[in-house]
Structure formats: C-alpha cells, structure tokens
Amino acid sequence: MTSLAITFADVEAAAQRLAGVAHRTPVLRSRTADERSGAELFFKAEHLQRMGAFKFRGAYNALSQFTPEQRRAGALAFSSGNHAQAIALSARLLGMPSVIVMPQDAPPVKLAATRGYQAGQPGSEVILYDRYSEDREAIGRRIAEERGMTLIPPYDHPHVMAGQGTAALELVDEVGRLDKLVVCVGGGGLISGCATAAKHRLPAIEVIGVEPEAGNDTQRSFARGEIVKIDVPQTIADGAQTQAPGRLTFPVTRALVSRIVTVSDAQLVTTMRFFAERLKQIVEPTGCLAAAAVLEGVLGDLRGQRIGVILSGGNVDLAQYGRLLQNNPEIA
Ligand SMILES: *Cc1c(COP(=O)(O)O)cnc(C)c1O
C-alpha cells in the first residue's frame, strides 16, 4: 500500500497554526432547507472565512512553514481566484512578497482583491496569462526559478491539503455525529483534507464529492481508476474549472470518498438564490456545489440523516451575481 500525502496529525497541526489567525467560521442552520431535504443540514460557512473562502486555511498553513530563506524570496501561486487572494493575504500577514499568476479573464473582483491584499508589501505583483493558450504551471515555474520564490499550488500540496481539512475538523468537533459530509471538488485539496479529518473523527461517515456537470474530471477519474484530464470546462463554478485531480489529492480522495456526483449550472443558480433569499448569505457559484447536490435532490433520499455541507466561498462579482440570479445561466 502506498502511503497517502497527509494524515490526521497533519490536519491537527494545521489547526494549531491557524488558531487565532483563521476565523472559526459559523455553522448555519435553516429550517426551510431541513424541511426541503428531510435531513438535518449543517452548513459550514467558509464564505465567511478571511478573504471569503476556505483557501486561506491551506495557504496560511503552507506559508507559515517556510524557512527564513524562503520567506525572504516569498511565495508564488497560479490561480483562477481564491487561492490567489489566499496566498496574497497570507504572505502579507507573514511579511513576505507574493507573485500571483492569474488568468486574464479571472473575475475582476478577485483580481482587485488580490492586488489589494498585496498592497504595501514590496516585491509583490499580479502577472496575467491567457488560460486557453498558455500553460500557467510553466509560467509559474519559470518565475519561481528566476526570483527564487517558492511555488505553492492551489491544491496539490500536503500543507495546502492539511490546512483545508481544518474546515471539516471544526465542523465535526462542533456538531458531533454526521452521516454524510458533502464537499465540492475542484482539484481535490478541500475534499482530501476534509475527508482525512472527518473519517478520523467519525469512521462511519460517508464523504461525497460534488463537481460541476461540465467539469467532472474527478468523477471520470474515479470511474477509470486513474487520473483523467479534460478540456477547460465551461461552467459558472469558476473555482472548480480544473482539468484533472491532483497527483497527491487523487489517492486520498479515492481512498476516503465514496462517490462523486455532479450538478448543473442551473442548479447552482437555484441554490445561490436560495441562500440569498432564505439565509441572507452571498455564496459564490462554486461555493454552492455541495449544497446544490443536497437541496436539488441529486443525492436521493436523505430523510432522517445528519449532513454536513461545506459552503466553500463567497467571492462573486456583484454585477455577475445579479445577472445570475435574474437570468438562466446560458445568458448570464
Ligand atoms: C478552490 C475552490 C474550490 C475547489 O477546491 P479544491 O481544493 O481545488 O478542490 C471550491 N470552492 C471554492 C470557493 C474555491 O475557491
């Protein structure tokens, strides 16, 4: 048996590094959601995390373990959004430079926020690239080499995976027994960390992953038993537009997650509207993946069960948010 990239001890150590730095986000309840699903739903509100997504956990956990030499040169990341903000904020909190390689078409709000988090930190900048023609990893590695910076990938890194797992650790420690934990899946950093934490605390729990219909690279990889790479998916869930699960995340996901389901962009919009109207919460499209699977009936009959649901982020351009809530996703 090959060993997995992280253990429960790594998640616990991450929780100690994050104590007093990351928010211990609230667990939201909704009578309407419970009635609709027949289950007791516990929403872990990571859209209320620092910088608006769980990604702060993994980024800070990784950067706080840099050597003094690594801190001097700083951190580099390539990201379509939330990981960028997470690295920029973590770097500034730890007093080191950051360079973020971002797609030209990243949501403007995420671009602006990233630059905002870098403000006042010498040596920090955003570098833009074309997502459809250029290889962000190649660009990232070149700059990292030129400037001596340490590249921190958005999901395929043990410190990132362990940091993300602290979200589920907090949830389980707060609410106790759960029958299921439902988690969105992009590259698999969040679900691999969360499954590691949840399965350790509650061995009988079923962990389920949720991908956008158009971007089901992990679901296909599960079916094939090996990593499958797809074209850049077209979906409003921009945080889950990954082309393949990670080399480190995939074995953990395969070992601990029972199945991967998908939801459509239309189901994401319905769920965003539900959170806005009923819970008065702004949750970004990707952040709604897990909740959509539960609330839109994708997981089947859930009556009588206690279900943890990760709301992963809330960073959405308000103009786009308004369009999505008014229109169907095709014309948004
Ligand atoms: C990054 C991100 C995801 C996907 O996380 P992975 O660790 O890549 O699976 C989901 N939701 C939001 C809001 C994100 O920023």
Side-chain angles (χ1 to χ4, degrees):
M1 200 185 116
T2 55
S3 67
L4 301 176
I6 56 166
T7 64
F8 178 71
D10 297 317
V11 181
E12 260 190 327
Q16 273 162 23
R17 287 183 203 102
L18 290 169
V21 184
H23 295 318
R24 196 178 172 96
T25 53
V27 177
L28 307 179
R29 304 295 316 273
S30 160
R31 231 170 254 272
T32 312
D34 285 2
E35 276 162 21
R36 195 195 273 200
S37 63
E40 283 180 82
L41 305 180
F42 301 87
F43 297 106
K44 179 66 170 165
E46 285 298 297
H47 62 298
L48 303 178
Q49 185 51 265
R50 291 187 80 161
M51 55 60 55
F54 70 88
K55 288 233 172 53
F56 179 70
R57 297 174 181 271
Y60 191 89
N61 187 47
L63 268 54
S64 64
Q65 294 179 72
F66 276 17
T67 64
E69 204 175 309
Q70 284 180 303
R71 283 189 191 220
R72 268 194 297 281
L76 180 139
F78 42 85
S79 165
S80 59
N82 284 333
H83 179 62
Q85 294 177 59
I87 293 289
L89 174 59
S90 300
R92 206 195 59 207
L93 290 173
L94 292 161
M96 67 174 91
S98 63
V99 165
I100 310 295
V101 182
M102 281 182 102
Q104 275 156 0
D105 60 349
V109 66
K110 295 189 178 181
L111 205 70
T114 303
R115 291 192 168 122
Y117 288 130
Q118 290 179 321
Q121 184 62 56
S124 293
E125 64 177 309
V126 171
I127 294 172
L128 299 174
Y129 77 102
D130 177 0
R131 196 145 57 94
Y132 297 95
S133 69
E134 292 180 283
D135 178 359
R136 66 179 186 176
E137 301 199 21
I139 296 170
R141 281 182 217 294
R142 196 193 63 231
I143 297 165
E145 211 164 287
E146 284 169 5
R147 305 188 191 183
M149 303 182 99
T150 303
L151 178 69
I152 299 296
Y155 48 86
D156 217 19
H157 187 295
H159 299 170
V160 172
M161 295 158 67
Q164 320 303 33
T166 60
L169 184 60
E170 287 176 10
L171 173 63
V172 166
D173 284 350
E174 182 167 334
V175 308
R177 185 184 66 77
L178 291 171
D179 298 292
K180 289 182 170 60
L181 177 67
V182 189
V183 187
C184 56
V185 181
L190 179 64
I191 198 169
S192 59
C194 285
T196 300
K199 284 291 224 184
H200 179 88
R201 281 283 203 259
L202 304 168
I205 198 171
E206 184 189 10
V207 182
I208 300 170
V210 186
E211 287 186 301
E213 223 166 62
N216 66 337
D217 47 300
T218 298
Q219 189 183 53
R220 288 201 211 179
S221 301
F222 259 55
R224 185 87 70 82
E226 62 183 26
I227 292 174
V228 173
K229 190 174 179 189
I230 63 171
D231 291 338
V232 176
Q234 299 293 340
T235 167
I236 60 170
D238 56 76
Q241 282 183 311
T242 43
Q243 292 178 262
R247 284 179 199 293
L248 300 181
T249 60
F250 184 60
V252 179
T253 308
R254 249 187 114 193
L256 303 177
V257 173
S258 66
R259 59 195 159 116
I260 307 285
V261 301
T262 64
V263 300
S264 68
D265 280 7
Q267 288 173 317
L268 290 178
V269 170
T270 302
T271 305
M272 284 167 69
R273 188 177 290 120
F274 178 83
F275 280 110
E277 276 179 357
R278 297 299 183 140
L279 285 86
K280 322 302 170 193
Q281 302 292 318
I282 298 178
V283 186
E284 65 180 275
T286 317
C288 286
L289 280 165
V294 172
L295 296 172
E296 294 296 297
V298 174
L299 298 181
D301 187 357
L302 301 173
R303 273 175 297 182
Q305 299 189 33
R306 290 167 58 87
I307 300 181
V309 179
I310 309 271
L311 302 178
S312 58
N315 291 327
V316 53
D317 182 83
L318 282 185
Q320 190 212 2
Y321 186 69
R323 280 195 301 276
L324 287 171
L325 293 194
Q326 275 171 22
N327 306 326
N328 76 41
E330 280 75 52
I331 56 175

